[in-house]
């Protein structure tokens, strides 16, 4: 049968308007690109896939079961050895695979166009994974349809596949969602899935599909042990890879192009290229803050001030030479100066002593002309003046009576002492 004729006669193609209509319905509802995606291609691609990949797998398995049920009904499967069973399966599954792929490519393409984002190789990894899994689920569904009536196998596979894949996000242990093939919901800016996050679901589902396909061989004495070996290998290897994982798959961070500007003193300031419209202003601000600190006797000479936005959800700590600051978010609120000041203080612990911390920040806010930002920051976390605040203010008043060199020495000692007393 010619390819065009097979497409016209395929139930998968006939059902494609309904399926693609549902895809559009989901996309226009919750599956569109998330707000504040910053044009980050992995984020734009991953979000619609999370909502629709399980739907595509379910459609692939159900449509394949329907096609194989038709083959069984008309006796085509038993034409071998006149025709290869693998050729029969491939010709029957081609329309199914194309329709299921369309269910994935359509929302991803719409999201990329809507956000004016160019796809990257890193962003397309989850899409390629989902497309391979559609093929695997189609093969599995085709095998089921050979033995069960299509009126039973197609709806059962549609519901079962969707439930098994989609509901793994609510199940423990958490590695179940990473081996099921459910696309990861939300990649933050700067993140991209690594290859180790993509291959375990492919190995599991692909191993089952390949084992099923091997059983179509005529020689059962060879087919059965080979199929069992493939099945066990896929299950064991994929499980061993994911069994110790938590809720998030392996991800690379910093997957974005940076724009950088050089400020006086050799400090480089970098922001993601897509958010770097404020970079000149941020570079001037960092230069001003460092100059104010030097005037107060405090020496800070970072090699790099970079935007922590590119770190994704796993924020890396700042060091003496590299300051990681939420520059994009701060610049949008004209608050980058105070964020640079906080990085310059350089607390080395998560919970410094509250009195010393407040005293240090109050003093450094004074010398860098960020008193208003400091007062606003305090107001966001407390409604009333606390005893720690009063003690810190009293301490700073005493510090101001010292010489500039003594104040700078007090500042450095208090930064270290706050972590010794706190935690």
């Amino acid at each position: 049968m010619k390819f065009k004729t097979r497409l016209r006669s395929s139930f998968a193609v006939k059902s494609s308007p309904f399926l693609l209509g549902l895809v559009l319905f989901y996309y226009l509802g919750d599956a569109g690109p998330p707000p504040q995606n910053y044009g980050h291609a992995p984020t734009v691609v991953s979000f619609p896939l999370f909502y629709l990949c399980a739907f595509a797998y379910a459609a692939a398995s159900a449509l394949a079961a329907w096609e194989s049920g038709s083959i069984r009904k008309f006796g085509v499967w038993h034409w071998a050895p006149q025709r290869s069973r693998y050729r029969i399966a491939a010709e029957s599954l081609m329309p199914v695979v194309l329709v299921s792929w369309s269910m994935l490519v359509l929302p991803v393409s719409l999201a990329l166009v809507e956000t004016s984002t160019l796809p990257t190789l890193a962003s397309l990894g989850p899409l390629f994974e989902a497309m391979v899994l559609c093929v695997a689920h189609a093969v599995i569904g085709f095998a089921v349809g050979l033995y069960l009536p299509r009126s039973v196998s197609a709806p059962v596979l549609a519901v079962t596949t969707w439930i098994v894949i989609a509901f793994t996000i609510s199940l423990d242990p958490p590695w179940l969602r990473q081996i099921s093939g459910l696309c990861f919901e939300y990649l933050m800016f700067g993140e991209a899935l690594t290859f180790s996050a993509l291959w375990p679901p492919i190995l599991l589902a692909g191993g089952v599909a390949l084992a099923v396909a091997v059983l179509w061989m005529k020689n059962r004495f060879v087919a059965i042990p080979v199929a069992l070996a493939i099945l066990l290998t896929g299950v064991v290897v994929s499980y061993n890879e994911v069994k110790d994982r938590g809720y998030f798959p392996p991800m690379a961070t910093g997957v974005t192009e940076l724009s950088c500007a050089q400020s006086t003193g050799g400090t480089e300031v970098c922001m993601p290229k897509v958010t770097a419209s404020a970079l000149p202003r941020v570079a001037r601000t960092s230069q001003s803050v460092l100059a104010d600190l030097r005037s107060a006797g405090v020496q800070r000479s970072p090699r790099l001030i970079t935007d922590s936005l590119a770190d994704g959800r796993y924020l890396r700590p700042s060091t003496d030479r590299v300051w990681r600051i939420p520059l994009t978010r701060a610049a949008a609120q004209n608050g980058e100066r105070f964020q640079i000041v906080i990085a310059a203080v350089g607390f080395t612990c998560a919970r410094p002593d509250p009195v010393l911390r407040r005293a240090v920040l109050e003093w450094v806010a004074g010398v860098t002309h960020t008193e208003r930002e400091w007062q606003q920051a305090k107001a966001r976390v407390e409604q009333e003046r606390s005893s720690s605040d009063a003690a810190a203010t009293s301490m700073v008043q005493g510090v101001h009576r010292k010489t500039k060199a003594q104040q700078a020495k007090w500042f450095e000692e208090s930064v270290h002492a706050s972590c010794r007393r706190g935690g």
Side-chain angles (χ1 to χ4, degrees):
M1 187 182 295
K2 293 183 178 180
F3 179 67
K4 290 184 179 180
T5 305
R6 178 166 295 280
L7 286 180
R8 286 196 298 268
S9 62
S10 171
F11 178 74
V13 175
K14 294 176 181 177
S15 63
S16 61
F18 171 73
L19 293 173
L20 294 178
L22 283 178
V23 168
L24 287 174
F25 175 78
Y26 272 101
Y27 179 84
L28 295 174
D30 295 325
Q36 290 188 326
N37 55 73
Y38 298 110
H40 184 55
T43 299
V44 173
V45 171
S46 67
F47 208 72
L49 285 179
F50 168 74
Y51 285 92
L52 294 166
C53 67
F55 185 28
Y57 304 156
S61 59
L63 293 173
W66 188 271
E67 296 290 347
S68 62
S70 300
I71 288 175
R72 183 174 63 89
K73 179 179 179 180
F74 296 109
V76 177
W77 191 247
H78 301 291
W79 287 359
Q82 287 82 2
R83 293 183 65 191
S84 167
R85 286 183 171 179
Y86 293 104
R87 181 177 177 180
I88 294 171
E91 291 178 349
S92 301
L93 289 177
M94 189 176 299
V96 173
V97 170
L98 291 177
V99 170
S100 63
W101 282 359
S102 299
M103 296 171 65
L104 298 171
V105 174
L106 176 61
V108 168
S109 300
L110 290 174
L112 291 171
V113 171
E114 181 180 341
T115 57
S116 302
T117 302
L118 290 175
T120 62
L121 185 60
S123 70
L124 294 178
L127 177 61
F128 293 149
E129 176 200 29
M131 293 172 74
V132 173
L133 289 174
C134 280
V135 177
H137 283 284
V139 172
I140 296 169
F142 186 88
V144 174
L146 292 174
Y147 297 97
L148 294 176
R150 62 186 185 180
S151 58
V152 174
S153 59
V156 168
L157 280 172
V159 174
T160 303
T161 303
W162 183 79
I163 289 177
V164 168
I165 302 298
F167 278 68
T168 53
I169 195 171
S170 60
L171 299 177
D172 282 325
W175 56 261
L176 284 173
R177 70 190 66 181
Q178 297 187 42
I179 205 173
S180 68
L182 180 66
C183 299
F184 185 63
E185 177 181 8
Y186 184 52
L187 290 168
M188 297 177 66
F189 187 88
E191 295 179 339
L193 294 181
T194 62
F195 179 70
S196 60
L198 302 177
W199 68 258
I202 293 176
L203 181 61
L204 179 63
V208 174
L210 184 58
V212 166
V214 168
L215 292 176
W216 297 339
M217 294 171 57
K218 290 293 185 179
N219 190 335
R220 291 285 180 176
F221 292 103
V222 174
I224 292 176
V226 171
L228 286 174
I230 293 173
L231 179 63
L232 289 174
T233 300
V235 171
V236 171
V237 175
S238 57
Y239 168 73
N240 284 333
E241 175 66 19
V242 303
K243 65 180 181 179
D244 296 324
R245 291 183 184 175
Y247 292 98
F248 300 125
M251 289 180 287
T253 58
V255 186
T256 185
E257 187 176 355
L258 299 177
S259 291
C260 298
Q262 199 80 20
S263 65
T264 303
T267 299
E268 191 175 32
V269 182
C270 295
M271 296 178 68
K273 191 172 184 179
V274 295
T275 66
S277 58
L279 179 59
R281 189 185 80 212
V282 172
R284 290 193 299 270
T285 300
S286 65
Q287 179 179 336
S288 174
V289 169
L290 294 176
D292 287 343
L293 290 171
R294 284 193 295 270
S295 296
V298 176
Q299 296 300 319
R300 293 289 187 270
S301 55
R303 175 184 60 83
L304 174 66
I305 299 176
T306 188
D307 199 335
S308 61
L309 179 66
D311 291 340
R313 73 199 66 220
Y314 299 116
L315 298 179
R316 288 181 282 176
S318 295
T319 65
D320 290 341
R321 299 290 289 160
V322 178
W323 297 357
R324 315 191 78 86
I325 305 171
L327 293 175
T328 294
R329 185 178 63 190
Q333 302 169 354
N334 292 317
E336 68 273 11
R337 185 177 186 86
F338 190 58
Q339 290 294 329
I340 295 171
V341 169
I342 293 175
V345 173
F347 290 116
T348 57
C349 58
R351 301 180 65 181
D353 176 79
V355 174
L356 277 178
R357 175 183 177 276
R358 287 169 184 261
V360 164
L361 290 175
E362 184 168 331
W363 180 84
V364 79
V367 301
T368 56
H369 314 291
T370 53
E371 297 96 334
R372 181 175 59 85
E373 290 88 344
W374 166 234
Q375 295 300 327
Q376 291 174 344
K378 288 195 297 182
R380 285 195 294 269
V381 297
E382 60 184 29
Q383 298 298 321
E384 298 179 359
R385 186 177 175 88
S386 67
S387 58
S388 297
D389 193 31
T393 300
S394 176
M395 183 182 300
V396 172
Q397 289 173 349
V399 172
H400 283 319
R401 291 192 286 269
K402 299 177 182 291
T403 64
K404 185 176 76 170
Q406 289 173 330
Q407 290 186 45
K409 182 179 179 182
W410 169 87
F411 170 78
E412 298 289 5
E413 290 176 348
S414 296
V415 169
H416 296 291
S418 64
C419 282
R420 287 198 304 269
R421 297 182 188 178

